[in-house]
Amino acid sequence: MESESTLAAEPPLIEDDWALFLDVDGSLAEHAPTPDAVLIDPAIKQALPALSRKCGGALALVSGRTVAALDALFAPTAIATAAGLHGLERRSHAGWEPAPAMDAPFLALATEAEAIARRYPGALVECRGGCLFLHWRAAPEAASELGAFADRIRQRLPRHRLHPGAHGIEIRPLGMDKGEAIAAFMADPPFQGRRPAFIGDDPADEPGFAQVNARGGISVLVGATRPSMARYRLANPGDVRRWLLDSLQGEVMA
């Protein structure tokens, strides 16, 4: 990583020649105790189609959620282009790339994790697309045991990598991250040839920051200052929403 992101500067307003990539949880919307409790501001649902038009259709959600979960979260607004599961599944103008199937041994590990989580009300285990997500935001007392479980199974998953976060651990297949997802989008129209911008809040967003930096783009950290490759910062999702709406001044929203 580069040196600590201490820039107080907000990013410039969005230009017509940008390609805009948006993380969701912690960036567009505040975190909640469980993923199902996250809410998207109706003003942002209304603004996203206008932002997409401003960028010539080059707007995509890039999230740890599945694409199906993103569709449900943003309904009735339809987002044509999205990367789910950190890029393991991707929907674009070129078509649909599904996440890999999960085999029986991997599903057995998920069952072990669920047995631990049941001992801590509020802890959550999600298993989808070859990924195992261990969440303890609503049950911080589960952190030690679920963290130990993740360390214990590391040797049983040589083709996976552990990604610790502030309130959980994601266990994901090697070879894909948000940076790779952004690179795949940038290879095709309508993203090709545009200046990329990526807004994210989490260590899992760092590959996305690196990707847009390498292309001379705009990388925006959301939240408190921490070591990051991002070159700009917005203090919280409320500031992200304000920035997006300010970028649409004078644009037709309907």
Side-chain angles (χ1 to χ4, degrees):
M1 283 187 186
E2 294 178 1
S3 60
E4 188 173 355
S5 176
T6 57
L7 284 177
E10 293 191 356
L13 295 180
I14 296 164
E15 300 283 349
D16 292 356
D17 64 346
W18 286 18
L20 186 58
F21 300 99
L22 300 170
D23 173 53
V24 176
D25 295 84
S27 297
L28 279 185
E30 286 79 6
H31 285 292
T34 65
D36 289 345
V38 169
L39 298 173
I40 302 299
D41 188 324
I44 291 301
K45 290 185 181 183
Q46 183 182 9
L48 287 180
L51 285 164
S52 181
R53 289 193 299 272
K54 180 178 179 67
C55 296
L59 179 148
L61 303 177
V62 183
S63 174
R65 292 176 181 258
T66 64
V67 170
L70 291 171
D71 287 344
L73 185 63
F74 284 85
T77 300
I79 309 297
T81 311
L85 300 174
H86 301 269
L88 286 169
E89 59 177 15
R90 196 165 61 91
R91 181 175 66 204
S92 70
H93 297 82
W96 170 254
E97 295 183 14
M102 295 178 288
D103 59 20
F106 190 84
L107 292 172
L109 291 176
T111 299
E112 290 182 40
E114 288 165 354
I116 296 171
R118 282 194 292 271
R119 298 199 284 271
Y120 301 93
L124 177 66
V125 173
E126 296 180 273
C127 183
R128 55 185 190 263
C131 302
L132 188 59
F133 299 85
L134 313 177
H135 301 282
W136 54 73
R137 181 181 294 274
E141 64 276 13
S144 178
E145 191 168 357
L146 284 174
F149 167 81
D151 285 337
R152 190 165 65 249
I153 68 171
R154 187 191 302 265
Q155 299 305 316
R156 295 162 64 182
L157 294 171
R159 298 184 63 81
H160 284 67
R161 182 180 173 189
L162 272 59
H163 298 266
H167 303 283
I169 292 177
E170 299 176 356
I171 303 168
R172 304 200 306 266
L174 296 169
M176 180 53 71
D177 55 40
K178 291 185 178 181
E180 292 296 326
I182 289 171
F185 282 130
M186 291 296 295
D188 296 319
F191 299 89
Q192 194 172 45
R194 290 177 167 271
R195 187 183 189 189
F198 178 50
I199 292 82
D201 73 306
D202 191 84
D205 298 316
E206 291 297 326
F209 297 152
Q211 184 64 234
V212 302
N213 289 348
R215 295 170 181 265
I218 305 292
S219 51
V220 185
L221 174 67
V222 182
T225 298
R226 61 168 176 79
S228 176
M229 299 183 80
R231 293 174 175 167
Y232 297 91
R233 191 173 72 87
L234 291 164
N236 51 55
D239 279 355
V240 174
R241 296 191 292 267
R242 174 185 53 76
W243 173 72
L244 293 173
L245 294 173
D246 285 351
S247 294
L248 283 174
Q249 287 185 6
E251 303 282 339
V252 176
M253 293 285 285

